Amino acid sequence: MSVVSLRGVTKRYGDTTAVDDVSFDLHENRIHGLLGRNGAGKSTVMRMLTGQDLPTSGQIRVVGENPFENAGVLRQVCFIKEAQKYPDIFLARHALKSAEMIFPNWDAEFAEQLVDEFRLPLKTRTKKLSRGQLSAVGVIVGLASRAPVTLFDEPYLGLDAVARQLFYDHLLADYAEHPRTVVLSTHLIDEVADMIEHVVVIDRGRIVMNDSADNLRSQAVTVSGPTKAVERFAAGHTVLHREDVGGYARLLVSGIPEGRDTTSLQVEPVSLQQLVVRTAQLSDSVLAGAANGKGELS
């Protein structure tokens, strides 16, 4: 069942189009990855989902309703972002207490456990917390809120590798016991790749991928070997990336050619990060070609 739905959503700021005719669904009890580069439109989408921005056009529904100025919807949505701001007078414990008052599914015992594990100083003012400690406040709120729709917009970037792994472990364990719709927006794709069940990739405000992670991984391969043999294998398929060394080539091929001769070739699965990065680079190349007169930009 779809919990979040966008249909033909566009968001403009003056002459800048941040989100351009975007449509996709986020389904109940699933971990989604909202991926893309800085400025791609990810944070704008999340702000619209949480009623902080209105779309210029199109329709947004969260748990079946428009989220803008809708307290009933927003109590079911937890949005945690990088560099989350709190009032200067707040201690860390005040931030958690405020979350407890907002979210009806708040688990105080779980929050206390996370405070201990992330070593969060509850009596320190939030403005005095380090970047890592502020990130810990955010992920604790996001996990302990148990909101039906939980959005993480890279709040864990401030955490060191050990603390990030702690977050991932707790997210998976708690999600297994208390399923909900989770959205992870991140640049650290390899770190979260095994957690993500559905992938939405946005680039220059447009959706360039929208599919299950398993389907995406099954639709591309990396093939390497003698150049001519590699090219015969890839003929008729989109090449997302190419490397040439002497008489050998290595190609990332979209689509898996069937019935091709693989003698002398090495065919390997592609990682989610490779697929996302190379697809975005291909999109850039197409746009650059259009801008250079090889096509038209709409």
Side-chain angles (χ1 to χ4, degrees):
M1 184 180 75
S2 175
V3 174
V4 172
S5 174
L6 290 84
R7 292 292 177 269
V9 171
T10 294
K11 179 63 181 179
R12 297 189 183 92
Y13 298 98
D15 294 332
T16 300
T17 300
V19 174
D20 189 2
D21 193 24
V22 162
S23 299
F24 65 85
D25 294 298
L26 302 178
H27 295 281
E28 184 179 29
N29 300 338
R30 194 173 299 180
I31 298 178
H32 303 263
L34 181 60
L35 310 176
R37 289 177 291 182
N38 286 336
K42 305 185 305 297
S43 294
T44 301
V45 167
M46 288 189 167
R47 286 196 300 271
M48 289 190 290
L49 291 180
T50 52
Q52 298 176 49
D53 271 347
L54 273 171
T56 305
S57 61
Q59 182 184 84
I60 296 175
R61 292 292 180 266
V62 178
V63 294
E65 299 181 35
N66 186 337
F68 188 70
E69 295 185 346
N70 189 329
V73 169
L74 298 181
R75 277 194 297 271
Q76 301 182 65
V77 179
C78 182
F79 178 36
I80 304 297
K81 60 185 178 181
E82 187 185 13
Q84 190 94 15
K85 300 295 183 183
Y86 302 96
D88 287 346
I89 63 170
F90 265 31
L91 305 179
R93 65 181 177 85
H94 294 146
L96 301 184
K97 192 65 177 178
S98 297
E100 183 176 2
M101 292 186 289
I102 293 170
F103 298 108
N105 295 333
W106 181 264
D107 187 326
E109 184 177 341
F110 186 32
E112 289 179 10
Q113 176 190 345
L114 294 171
V115 165
D116 288 339
E117 294 192 31
F118 282 101
R119 302 176 184 177
L120 179 66
L122 290 178
K123 295 182 179 180
T124 300
R125 293 196 184 277
T126 54
K127 66 179 181 180
K128 297 290 187 180
L129 295 176
S130 69
R131 185 187 180 199
Q133 290 168 334
L134 276 174
S135 295
V137 173
V139 300
I140 291 169
V141 170
L143 291 169
S145 69
R146 295 215 175 109
V149 180
T150 304
L151 312 173
F152 291 101
D153 189 6
E154 302 195 285
Y156 32 81
L157 287 183
L159 300 174
D160 60 33
V162 173
R164 286 201 308 275
Q165 189 59 55
L166 184 63
F167 165 63
Y168 301 145
D169 291 345
H170 275 298
L171 175 59
L172 278 178
D174 200 60
Y175 170 78
E177 290 190 20
H178 305 276
R180 60 257 206 200
T181 299
V182 176
V183 180
L184 298 173
S185 174
T186 183
H187 294 105
L188 306 173
I189 300 173
D190 275 344
E191 287 193 4
V192 302
D194 290 340
M195 301 166 54
I196 294 174
E197 299 169 274
H198 188 269
V199 177
V200 177
V201 179
I202 187 168
D203 190 58
R204 298 177 186 260
R206 295 185 176 184
I207 300 299
V208 296
M209 284 184 184
N210 180 17
D211 205 344
S212 75
D214 287 343
N215 280 347
L216 289 174
R217 291 190 188 96
S218 70
Q219 291 172 7
V221 292
T222 298
V223 56
S224 54
T227 299
K228 289 186 178 180
V230 168
E231 291 176 343
R232 284 195 298 270
F233 178 88
H237 291 263
T238 301
V239 175
L240 299 176
H241 182 66
R242 176 172 184 145
E243 299 171 8
D244 290 281
V245 179
Y248 287 80
R250 179 181 175 87
L251 273 59
L252 197 165
V253 183
S254 179
I256 300 180
E258 297 180 359
R260 307 288 173 95
D261 182 11
T262 58
T263 305
S264 76
L265 297 179
Q266 184 173 0
V267 181
E268 305 168 285
V270 63
S271 74
L272 186 59
Q273 176 155 310
Q274 284 180 307
L275 190 57
V276 171
V277 169
R278 300 312 182 189
T279 299
Q281 289 177 337
L282 181 64
S283 175
D284 276 352
S285 297
V286 171
L287 287 171
N292 289 330
K294 298 177 183 178
E296 291 185 355
L297 286 173
S298 57

